[in-house]
Amino acid sequence: YTLLTGATGLVGGHLLAHLLSIGFPVAVIAREGRGRSAGERIGEILERRERATGRRLCRPVVLEGDLCEPGVGLRQEQAVWASGH
């Protein structure tokens, strides 16, 4: 897996969509925000991209965390998954 941070930003969202469109397995670390989980935020970004391009994208593994927190804020099971992939 390629680990991507910043996927909820403008450039990161485009990079995420590009990597998924060419078949890269991607995992993203994203924060929850504005009352939405990290998975919901990433899903919305990909759905907008799909509407714009008319092309369905694979989904990344979404790890909910915060780069400013110890252990990047991942829950135990997510940290175990990340260390194995």
Side-chain angles (χ1 to χ4, degrees), residues 35-69:
R36 298 178 318 226
S37 71
E40 290 169 331
R41 293 178 71 204
I42 295 297
E44 289 169 2
I45 290 165
L46 294 176
E47 287 168 9
R48 280 195 305 269
R49 183 69 173 189
E50 289 169 338
R51 282 193 301 273
T53 64
R55 186 171 176 203
R56 177 91 171 119
L57 296 168
C58 294
R59 292 303 189 252
V61 173
V62 178
L63 306 171
E64 191 162 304
D66 186 333
L67 297 180
C68 296
E69 298 293 325

Side-chain angles (χ1 to χ4, degrees), residues 4 6 9 18 20-21 28-29 34 39 48 51-52 54 75 79-80 84:
L4 181 64
H18 175 70
L20 294 172
S21 73
V28 299
I29 295 178
R34 298 183 186 159
R48 280 195 305 269
R51 282 193 301 273
R75 294 187 316 267
V80 169

